[in-house]
Amino acid sequence: MTTCRRKSLLKVILLGDSFVGKTSLMNQYVKKQFSNQYKITVGADFLAKDIMIDDRVVTMQIWDTAGQERYKSLHAGYYRAADCCILVYDVTNPKSFESLDMWREEFLIRADPHDPESFPFVLLGNKIDAETNRAVSSRQAQNWCKYKNDMLYYEVSAKEAINVEEGFQAIARNALQRD
Ligand code: GDP
Ligand code: MG
């Protein structure tokens, strides 16, 4: 460890095509709720959750878009001072997987982190409950991550609450590494 500055507030932002389940993942993680109805996200910019990491309490602010991802028109404040960027795709939708490069680039351009090479991203492949409609294999996703500086990858389901807790815990840990 080279530094000892301790952060107690982490800003993590969600990015990915619309309909991949960004809002559902946040709601499942923070509120333990899931809805099958598609609602364009409105209201607050983020939800906050206090979590324990190695005996310390950290407040994780999870920022969700209000549907502007369709137009790539997220305001500058969305990206500002993010500690971790969560990229989300839908394992049943290849197009959402193909968009990942664009979202990653978009983040790097708009957030302009000091050290883009080591900035913590985490990839979530959502909707693994819909196994029969699966269109992107784990292997494809792992391979993509490998070439993106070994990005962490979790396969999750907001609907069935599979791996959501683990995924966000890894996100928090990853964001804290920048301390
Ligand atoms: P967003 O546009 O990325 O915020 O996506 P939403 O969270 O609004 O979800 C889009 C649609 O996918 C909604 O109809 C959700 O009910 C559905 N959905 C989200 N997560 C899952 C999941 O894990 N499994 C399945 N089967 N459907 C999901
Ligand atoms: Mg949404």
Side-chain angles (χ1 to χ4, degrees):
M1 283 291 160
T2 49
T3 58
C4 55
R5 190 168 61 88
R6 298 220 133 185
K7 247 188 195 163
S8 56
L9 180 70
L10 291 177
K11 175 179 175 177
V12 302
I13 71 169
L14 288 158
L15 283 181
D17 284 1
S18 47
F19 217 67
V20 296
K22 300 180 296 299
T23 303
S24 301
L25 283 165
M26 183 180 71
N27 286 336
Q28 178 58 262
Y29 180 57
V30 179
K31 303 186 202 161
K32 310 256 181 282
Q33 284 172 0
F34 178 79
S35 160
N36 271 311
Q37 254 115 47
Y38 182 62
K39 294 188 212 101
I40 289 274
T41 321
V42 283
D45 281 329
F46 61 81
L47 288 181
K49 181 172 168 120
D50 285 343
I51 52 168
M52 287 293 291
I53 302 235
D54 301 335
D55 297 331
R56 52 191 273 226
V57 180
V58 175
T59 301
M60 178 151 51
Q61 256 186 12
I62 306 166
W63 290 57
D64 185 25
T65 73
Q68 311 97 325
E69 69 270 30
R70 265 164 234 271
Y71 317 106
K72 280 214 286 171
S73 63
L74 294 156
H75 59 92
Y78 191 78
Y79 295 96
R80 192 174 302 126
D83 295 298
C84 180
C85 176
I86 309 169
L87 297 175
V88 186
Y89 79 100
D90 167 355
V91 301
T92 71
N93 176 355
K95 207 169 151 287
S96 71
F97 180 69
E98 285 157 24
S99 295
L100 292 172
D101 276 303
M102 182 277 288
W103 285 118
R104 183 174 165 277
E105 278 305 303
E106 187 73 5
F107 176 84
L108 292 173
I109 291 165
R110 300 284 307 273
D112 197 20
H114 284 306
D115 187 0
E117 279 306 305
S118 68
F119 186 84
F121 286 93
V122 173
L123 177 63
L124 300 181
N126 189 38
K127 309 197 188 181
I128 55 160
D129 57 280
E131 192 52 51
T132 49
N133 296 324
R134 180 135 193 172
V136 180
S137 68
S138 304
R139 202 190 175 127
Q140 265 175 288
Q142 280 158 0
N143 209 35
W144 185 81
C145 286
K146 192 170 141 201
Y147 290 101
K148 305 294 177 210
N149 202 25
D150 278 323
M151 192 182 293
L152 281 184
Y153 176 52
Y154 282 82
E155 301 204 327
V156 298
S157 162
K159 184 176 185 172
E160 306 286 339
I162 302 168
N163 246 351
V164 175
E165 195 69 39
E166 294 83 348
F168 276 93
Q169 190 77 15
I171 286 157
R173 272 185 192 282
N174 212 22
L176 277 173
Q177 277 172 16
R178 288 184 14 112
D179 264 17

